[in-house]
Amino acid sequence: MSTNRQAAAASRWRIPVLFAILAVLFILEGTVRNGMFSGSWNTSLAILNMGLISAITALGVNMQWGYAGLFNVGVVGFFALGGLAPVLISTAPVEGAWQAGGPRMLIALATAVGTLALASLLWRHMPRGKLRGLALTVLLIAGFVLYRGLFDPAVTAIESNNPARHGNIGGLGLPVLLSWLAGGIFAAAAAWAVGKVALGLRSDYLAIATLGIGEIIIAVLKNEDWLARGVKNITAIPRPVPFEIQLQRNPEFMEFANSWGMAASTASGIWVKLCYMLLFLVVLLLLILLAELALKSPWGRMMRAIRDNETAAEAMGKDVTARHLQVFILGSAVIGIAGAMMITLDGLMAPVGYNPLRYTFLIWVMVIVGGSGNNWGAALGGVLIWFLWIKAEVWGPELIAFLTAPLPASSFKSGLLEGAAHMRFIAMGLVLLLVLRFAPRGLVPER
Amino acid sequence: EEIKLGTSLGFTGPLESMAPDMQKGAELAVKEISDSGKFLDGSTVSLVQGDSTCADAAAATATVERLITAEGVKGIIGGMCSGEAIASLENVAVPNGIVMISPSATSPALSTIEDNGLFFRTSPSDARQGEVMADIIMEKGIENVAVTYTNNDYGKGLAESFEAAFTEKGGTITTNSAHEDGKADYSAEVAALSAAGGDALVVAGYVDQGGSGVVRAALDTGAFDTFVFPDGMVGQALVDNFGEEIEGSFGQNPAAEGEGRDIYVKMAEEAGYDGTGAFSAESYDAAALILLGMAAAGSSDPAEYKEKIMDIANEPGEKILPGELGKALDILSEGGDIDYVGATSVEFVEPGESAGIYREVSFTGGEMEVVGYR
Amino acid sequence: MNYLSATDMRGGYGKADILHGCTLNVEKGQIAVIVGPNGAGKSTAMKAVFGMLPLREGQVTLDGQDITTLSPQERVRKGMGFVPQVNNVFPSMSVEENLEMGAFIRNDDIAATMDQVFDLFPVLKDKRRQAAGELSGGQRQQVAVGRALMTRPQLLMLDEPTAGVSPIVMDELFDRIIEIARTGISILMVEQNARQALGIADIGYVLVQGQNRYTDTGQALLADPEVRRTFLGG
Amino acid sequence: MIRVEDLHRHFGGFRAVDGASLSIETGSITGLIGPNGAGKSTLFNVVAGVLPPTSGRVFMDDEEITGLPPHELFHRGLLRTFQLAHEFASMTVRENLMMVPGQQTGETIWSTWLRRGQIEREELELRKKADEVLEFLTIRHLAHERAGNLSGGQKKLLELGRTMMVDAKVVFLDEVGAGVNRTLLGTIGDAIVRLNKERGYTFCVIEHDMDFIAKLCDPVIVMAEGKVLATGASDEIMQNEAVIEAYLGTGLKNQVKAGTG
Amino acid sequence: MDILNAVVAVLNFVVIPATAYGAQLALGALGVTLIYGILRFSNFAHGDTMAFGTAATILATWGLQALGVSLGPLPTALLALPVGIAVTALVVLATDRAVYRFYRVQKAVPIIFVMASVGVMFLMNGFTRLLIGVDEHRFADGARFIINVRDFRDMTGLSEGLAFKTTQGLSILMAIIVVWILFWFLNRTRSGKAMRAFSDNEDLALLSGIDPEKVVRMTWIIAAGLATIAGTLYGLDKAFKPFNYFQILLPIFAAAIVGGLGNPVGAIAGGFLVAFSEIAITYPWRKIAGYLFPDWQPDGLLQLLGTEYKFAVSFVILIVVLLFRPTGLFRGKSV
Ligand SMILES: Nc1ncnc2c1ncn2[C@@H]1O[C@H](COP(=O)(O)OP(=O)(O)OP(=O)(O)O)[C@@H](O)[C@H]1O
Ligand SMILES: Nc1ncnc2c1ncn2[C@@H]1O[C@H](COP(=O)(O)OP(=O)(O)OP(=O)(O)O)[C@@H](O)[C@H]1O
Ligand SMILES: CC(C)C[C@H](N)C(=O)O
Ligand SMILES: [Mg+2]
Ligand SMILES: [Mg+2]
């Protein structure tokens, strides 16, 4: 018992201390210039901003894994779907696109959804047997033919509308912050559909299903040009913050920058990044607050019970399926929000970039290193791992230069130095293994 | 003064095998200028390497951010792939007012991007290559082709511009379908292409990626034996990989007539790397242009030298080949004019990209032969 | 001389000790039974004897040899067999394979021993090809005991072997245990079915909070009203 | 209360439950005994909705409940314990109990953000209740222990404790006694009787300890090979030839010896 | 004649490539499934282990070629394979000693092992590239074809050709041999049974006198062997490029999981299921229709879905399979 209390006392300080260390890393990155750090606030803040987005993503994954034990390996898919929101909600409408095929497209999509809904009704309400199978097949085939009949011409029409520049359906021109919410909703809707189908699967089997769904979502984003130009990318997505150039042309800001003794470009860069940082921080803290409130209450207890033993939780009256679906949707929504935020930050939607290594596994690393089941841990892991991932680009080659320094010049040494870029992976691997070694349950363990 | 330039190339990621030779190209130009001692009152130049990963826009942006704000580079050679190049240009280079010259980002989207005159590229937009390729194929009397492209903005953009040009000229495209890079197996793609048929297969992909995989599977199954290779495919690797198997195939890549390229390849050989590697020569030119621009402006401030780049790239002036950068510096310091030709016969059109002179190659007897320029 | 002698064992799972100087002795061919309330540390003591728990103090000797520092699998080779209280079968292996695994360290012919086990637990013979994880609770328990018997140990340790087995099988089991003991094998077992178990015990230990509370012959313990009331359910 | 009609549950070709029909009267403490592998646990699992039946129907208060999911049965007042303890291993013992009651305000996610006060109050109640149950089961001192660290018997107690957290109508106990100290088992028996008398719970108890069955249960149902073999008062059953042959055995000698010893 | 043409076309473009690819996936999936079954975690480093093993084999092959050794029509790499396996086994054992053992002693939960394997994946990934570089290597020598298209046409007079590569034949043959040996080992030998017992219940295995460290070592050695063989066959058939070996991890995992994790038969079935669904579903039937119904001139390609969705299709199939068999075709484990 006494050991318990000691552990509790230790963990009370653990979180602030770790966050303080993290803050120091970023301050060093912003101020000190040597082989390890760049000494640029712009760099430091840029890393931090993406780190905050990663932290939110990690938070979403943590909800699914840490609270409920759902093994979602399709993170990249939900993240990408969230990224679709700024494109569809906030970019300017594309002239002629809607007239070309908008309504037809909506009807086609409605047909598809309707067919599926009808099919599931049929499945539930018809008695078992051959007839049911037959009816279902006929319905699905008819629905598919009808859908393709409506869908294909609509796609052709939209995509042939100025394909070099547009060829997509365009956005609604709404404020970009709204699209963050929409990103969450997109991802949540997909999660609902996926969850309905796949949540019956356990652990690694769920993993492969979600992995597949992630790949499918990415494939759709890449190949359905009418949606967001596919691999041809959408650029110039609106921003919620001023452009650096605008600031540089603003005399007041210039004066302000001068009073700090900073060059215009540096100051404007920092300013913009600080604006983003504030926005991201607000979102992150709000989400953590909500998550903590939920987790530290009977809801969270119920989730842990379900994670520990589904059969028993079910026998104790908890609707495991519904809860799984709920938390899967919530977590995905959070991932979607993060996805929308990243696209806003990048100002670019490039589906080719969505690769699972970066947007699924790296996020998983963040969650586990941070400490799964713990919101602060996940956030910490998110920022920290992102920092290391970026710094590994510099540290890797430094490391190998250091290691090979004593070697005499030879082709072996130059070969090693040439491969220095790959030290990025080695450095990342080492960091991961070291953290896991010294904090096997994560930096901030669940309890 | 010590001036720094940065490279932002995909040293890790799907094009990791292409990046090193590009880096070497840039290094060669930097070294040549730096060692000449004639640059901006004896300033030295150094090159800072950055990893753009080719695929991950966020990582590329972070890299360029570091190069600019932390390393303080005055110009960037990169990005490598169009998507990532656009992201880092819009998010970092333009806000910070730094010049970026990409050796290899060829997406048509970059022609119209808002860049404040900061972005240039030593490769042409793919919009042009489509036309050239269509001409070449038509002239061979082939009217029926299947197209497979790597599923990114480069591949798709090229495939679309080619399709438009080719059908315009009366040809037929039996299928125009994508392949993903880095997949384990391309049998399905080849099966589909073969079923669609066609007298030749246009492979708008990367030679050390899915492009080769598709060619391999197509050869093995006998689906096609004539291939058309655009820039992502043309390279020594193609000859090494397939040798006589692709007898009778042909292709084109941006590279201009003249000794420039041969000189560069020789220089590269002396420096111990392969100068024929895709976009390696373009990287040399990109670095040279930035530095010569600085020399012409007499300043390393991007806001000033960005204005000079079009001037030095085009006529009038004395033609400058690779290895003659010292001479160029001399001319510039005397206030003369130069017309940088470089390794790829640089000729810039508005808004600051290579006009697009292509070299037509064919594969006979296990060798790649240059048959003409257009 | 005791065949097994575990003296003054101290140890636990984390920082806190569960065993506070517990001593267990079994002579050759004897049956020793440990009883006690839930959570007294009976299973912990068994694990300690088997080397699955680091001891902070105390010593375990087998046949006069000090085995305190040996690993569990080395103790198996010294002739100890153990049936844990939970997780005591290989769930995805067939019943037959479970028994074979029991004989893993033996190099001689195991067919005869297996027949003996099947004689003892006839159900298992019918279910020999079925995965142990699909058996009923009591059948699993029988597989678990059978597995340990396959080792042909010199010292057989059983943690609640009769939990969940039906009366008829339980009687069989106790009869068989007596028989085994007669062949010179020592038995150390934990039982909640204390009255039957103490009935056949040569020596009984009552363990409370990691300490020996009473130690006596089985019959004597059964006769002690205090012991009966507090530990044996009246 | 519970009626089972011609229930079958097959595993592949094996008939674990093979046409069992039985009923559990409201207010009774019904014993369910039978040799190992008779199909008792399988029957439980089918009734409790864990396994779908191959055929046959289950009724509760004349309403068909065949195939309803366990959580729904819980809300109808049907509770069960598991033969192999199913504790929530990483949660504390007290949390294991506190999570049981349904309809907690704090279990809907919106209320965790909006109705903190209400939740606080409910939690206090729950904590008190949980502590009472722990007290009763003699494991109050373990309230803060991880449930996964409990001893085998303690886990069984926790299983039982969970059913005491809510007002149930019918409780299925699958071998609560196995591995539980006999003195404590006596107390548990008393508690079952008390819950039955005072709160009107109906019980169905699987147990191999015949003393326990005899003291508590009336009637007793005997299963063998997936079918019901006999039903009756416990002393009747103990004399039943078929039951003795299939289940009890004649060799009660140890027990007798112990009883007189 | 036309029917024969149709059959040959399907064989050439669907059956043979899918079978060879399926065999390669199956071998990879066997390694994954073995680790999962016995050490109970999904080993993300398996793809890079394959890459490393192949790199080692290639280096050995070059060595042999430099010595002038050759296997005639068979690739020299087969001779180099034992060297590759040995080196990989050593590396993998060292990794276990340095990384995984620690967590085993701690009895860490599987996800920690998974993450540790991600760390190992990064390391191996880097080391392989340092060892052999990032470029593509072809190391298949010997005869390329058992039958090639031209010969087949000349032989049969059909207009469709049929190609069967040596490496495809090798892949299939090796898969059969390796699988057979593995089965025999796991189900018939003492060590094999000890491995299964260990996978079922580690503590009880200990109580039965099984040395857990020995089991673990054995598992890693076999996994290293499987990885090297799978990687080398794949590299021989396609080409070796370190980057691709991370990509192939995806279909390999899909195969292992859909077959039922921990179940070797499942891994094999899964490998073929994945390969065939990728290749067969997106196959356009126009040519075949042309042979079978010469009068019919369809406009489209008669393709169910474009090849850009081939992964999507194969995953949809996997998901459907899992919906009906939640732990895979052959009832796998789940931790
Ligand atoms: N999943 C399964 N697959 C195959 N057979 C099974 C499965 N579950 C149970 N059985 C078989 O069904 C029969 C009945 O098992 P059940 O668990 O219902 O017995 P029980 O009456 O509860 O016995 P016990 O008193 O030993 O707990 C047993 O013979 C068992 O082998
Ligand atoms: N893995 C563990 N980690 C921490 N504490 C444990 C662990 N296992 C058991 N304990 C604690 O040790 C004490 C003794 O447990 P043990 O299993 O030895 O009891 P037991 O006498 O066998 O009880 P039972 O009759 O219920 O099986 C218990 O209070 C239990 O909570
Ligand atoms: C490296 C190059 C082949 C890149 C390609 N041209 C692109 O724009 O993406
Ligand atoms: Mg115990
Ligand atoms: Mg049972």
Side-chain angles (χ1 to χ4, degrees), chain C residues 136-138 164, chain D residues 36-37 39-42 83 174-175 206 208:
Chain C
S136 82
Chain D
N36 294 129
K40 306 181 295 292
S41 299
T42 309
Q83 181 170 6
D174 197 348
E175 302 201 19
I206 298 182
H208 289 299

Side-chain angles (χ1 to χ4, degrees), chain A residues 122-133:
Chain A
L122 203 83
W123 181 257
R124 256 179 283 152
H125 291 290
M126 269 178 78
R128 260 171 182 241
K130 280 215 181 83
L131 194 64
R132 178 168 81 166

Side-chain angles (χ1 to χ4, degrees), chain C residues 1 7 12 25 32 35 38 56 62 74 83 86 93 114 130 152 157 168 175 184 189 213 221 229:
Chain C
M1 182 64 207
T7 38
N25 293 312
V35 298
N38 294 116
R56 252 182 288 278
L62 185 75
E74 285 163 331
V83 181
V86 287
M93 296 175 93
M114 191 157 327
Q130 192 166 353
R152 281 218 309 231
M157 299 172 49
I168 200 168
D175 285 349
M189 69 176 171
R213 176 70 59 89
L221 286 178
R229 192 173 51 74

Side-chain angles (χ1 to χ4, degrees), chain A residues 241-287:
Chain A
V241 301
F243 282 91
E244 288 87 346
I245 305 289
Q246 288 170 349
L247 291 175
Q248 287 162 20
R249 292 193 192 122
N250 179 340
E252 272 173 53
F253 181 83
M254 293 306 293
E255 212 169 290
F256 171 74
N258 280 335
S259 69
W260 282 75
M262 267 190 263
S265 58
T266 317
S268 61
I270 294 179
W271 180 263
V272 167
K273 286 180 189 95
L274 281 175
C275 291
Y276 269 123
M277 187 189 84
L278 275 180
L279 283 172
F280 294 167
L281 261 183
V282 168
V283 176
L284 176 66
L285 290 177
L286 186 71
L287 288 173

Side-chain angles (χ1 to χ4, degrees), chain E residues 60-72 76 79 141:
Chain E
T61 310
W62 289 344
L64 287 175
Q65 283 167 343
L67 294 176
V69 181
S70 116
L71 263 185
T76 318
L79 274 183
D141 47 8

